[in-house]
Amino acid sequence: MPGITAPQRARKTRKPSGLPNPPMMLVVGPEKTGKSRVAAEGTASELLGTTLWIEIGGSEGTADYYGRLPGANYEIVEHDGSYQDILDAVRYAVAQPPAVDGKRNMIVIDNVSVLWDMLSDEQALYARWRAEKKAQENRRRGPNPDLPVTVDPDLWNRAKDRWGEILWLLRRHSGPVLLLARQEVVTAFENDKPTRDKTRKIKAEKNLPAAVDAIVELHALGEAYLTGVRTLHWEVTPGQSEKFDDFSIDALLRRMGYEDAAPARQVTETRPEAYLDEQQAQQPQQERQRQSRQPQQHGGQTQQQAGHSPTLTGQEVVKMVHEALHGNDPEAALYDIRETWGIRTLERIPTRTKLWGEMDANRLISRSLQAVKERAGQRKEAAAGQGNQPPSQAPETVTGPAPERRGTEQAREHQDQEVPEPPAEYDSAPPPPDPQADEPPAGESPEETSQAEEPQDVPPPAVTRPASRRNRGEELAFKALYEEAEVQARLKMMTKGEHLGPISKLGDPDLPALRNYVLGHRPALIAYLEAAGEKELAAYYRKAPPVDPKVAQRFAPYFEGAPAGQ
């Protein structure tokens, strides 16, 4: 879209310094391949001052033991194992000044796989706590303690933020940083199907390889391979791994040009919080624009009061009446429409329905109120055993003024009773009442049931539609649509029941209603995937057929990859 082309701030340029950054190095490998030992031996390098060692996870516990290696020169930064204390330990290590001779300190994190596992466990515990809290608020049973609880995307984003805060601090360090991580040999997938080939996978957050300057894989003791590096001091062959003979941290630092490194990492961090500052600065201007769009006054009256045509259309009134008749208290909702818009405004709006024909909006509300009250009276008579004939259809004409609002007893009586179907479309009308509707027993009202006789920890049973016989094709279609609804619910950070709530009030929806509902939510979720950088998944979802039996399989790597950092 068009915008301002001239720069709005004073700009300056500079020549590149040509100096490498203090390197961030990642050493990965399966268990017992010598990662921690290589790091401890590397602390003896003449290029380094003191090394500050932050050990995360007590399963290995080698920091103390490897201190006996010849020339090892490091100090262990203690912490209590919580994220905040580990974060503060990193702050301490970054803040330490260089050695007396000017040699910079190195920071070792052993290891980041345990750190990512801890952040994942944090969010899993929080997801269970949130599910239990929600169940208590809704007076439902909590999650099964033997089954895992789904960790929603907002919680994984929180884990990524906490992980990113650690890396942000490490980038502030003026010396080298050495990260150790586990590597697993896993089955390679092609087109979402397993193959016979094997591949190596780093067990950490998926963006870690992009954040470091060099990656060295240890396949066995003494067998090292350079799989990625950012350097001009070393001739490497693009596109393939290179065996690193006699690998050591000192050799890696020298080949990356650490002796010529800049005093600090030359990088400009992004500032997402600046967007909030922009929005706050724009609020006064947006407020002035809203005030300028308000209706102009004509001698103390608005345009609508001065006799100009209202902006409300007849079709919108019909829709509001339709929604009011489907609420818990249709009578109160209809009076609210009249009170909000005013009788004079409604009298100037023409409406048309198939049953009642053409009339103004105020008269349509009056007829709807009369139909609601007649239906309530008919059901009351049927409940008392005073009449077995089906109630008649809504009258064609109104013989008197709109009836007045009744007291709270009448309003409460309407809450559990069926109301006439409203004119849902602009040219449709309410169908006749259903004579087969369930009636309460004579002489007993719903209020007479004691709460002590009902279970307090389970929701009331839902009204279900009579089950119809389905063929195999329909069963497969239902299964695929419900799987897609589950995918949509997880993307929207809610349960499938909450997602399908609007079409499940009367039980399981039929196939057309379920298909249309799921298809209607696709565009917004495609836009969400594109904004999250999942271009390939968004492209697949955009081209997916209306009923796609493979949708759950295609989204499985997206959901299951979150805890593993895929």
Side-chain angles (χ1 to χ4, degrees), residues 147-221:
L147 298 177
V149 176
T150 300
V151 181
D152 295 323
D154 68 312
L155 298 183
W156 286 123
N157 292 337
R158 182 182 301 178
K160 287 176 178 288
D161 290 341
R162 293 162 77 85
W163 168 271
E165 193 169 1
I166 296 283
L167 293 185
W168 184 90
L169 281 173
L170 294 175
R171 286 196 292 269
R172 309 273 80 75
H173 183 48
S174 60
V177 175
L178 179 59
L179 307 176
L180 307 183
R182 293 198 307 269
Q183 189 181 51
E184 300 175 340
V185 179
V186 297
T187 301
F189 279 73
E190 183 176 356
N191 296 328
D192 298 331
K193 295 182 179 179
T195 65
R196 296 183 178 180
D197 299 329
K198 299 293 183 180
T199 185
R200 294 178 179 271
K201 173 185 171 184
I202 301 174
K203 188 172 178 59
E205 200 273 332
K206 64 180 180 181
N207 295 315
L208 177 60
V212 299
D213 301 295
I215 304 175
V216 177
E217 295 183 358
L218 301 180
H219 292 183
L221 290 172

Side-chain angles (χ1 to χ4, degrees), residues 130 134 150-157 486-496 498-499 525 528 559:
R130 187 164 68 175
K134 189 173 182 179
T150 300
V151 181
D152 295 323
D154 68 312
L155 298 183
W156 286 123
N157 292 337
E486 176 72 25
V487 169
Q488 293 182 347
R490 295 186 67 179
L491 290 174
K492 294 175 65 178
M493 296 171 286
M494 60 174 60
T495 65
K496 185 173 71 173
E498 293 172 338
H499 177 49
L525 296 177
Y528 166 79
F559 293 120

Side-chain angles (χ1 to χ4, degrees), residues 408-445:
T408 57
E409 293 183 16
Q410 182 67 26
R412 184 172 62 251
E413 182 182 330
H414 293 162
Q415 290 181 359
D416 297 327
Q417 296 172 353
E418 186 179 359
V419 297
E421 289 291 331
E425 300 297 335
Y426 192 66
D427 59 349
S428 62
D434 181 11
Q436 304 297 329
D438 294 334
E439 303 291 347
E444 179 181 346
S445 65

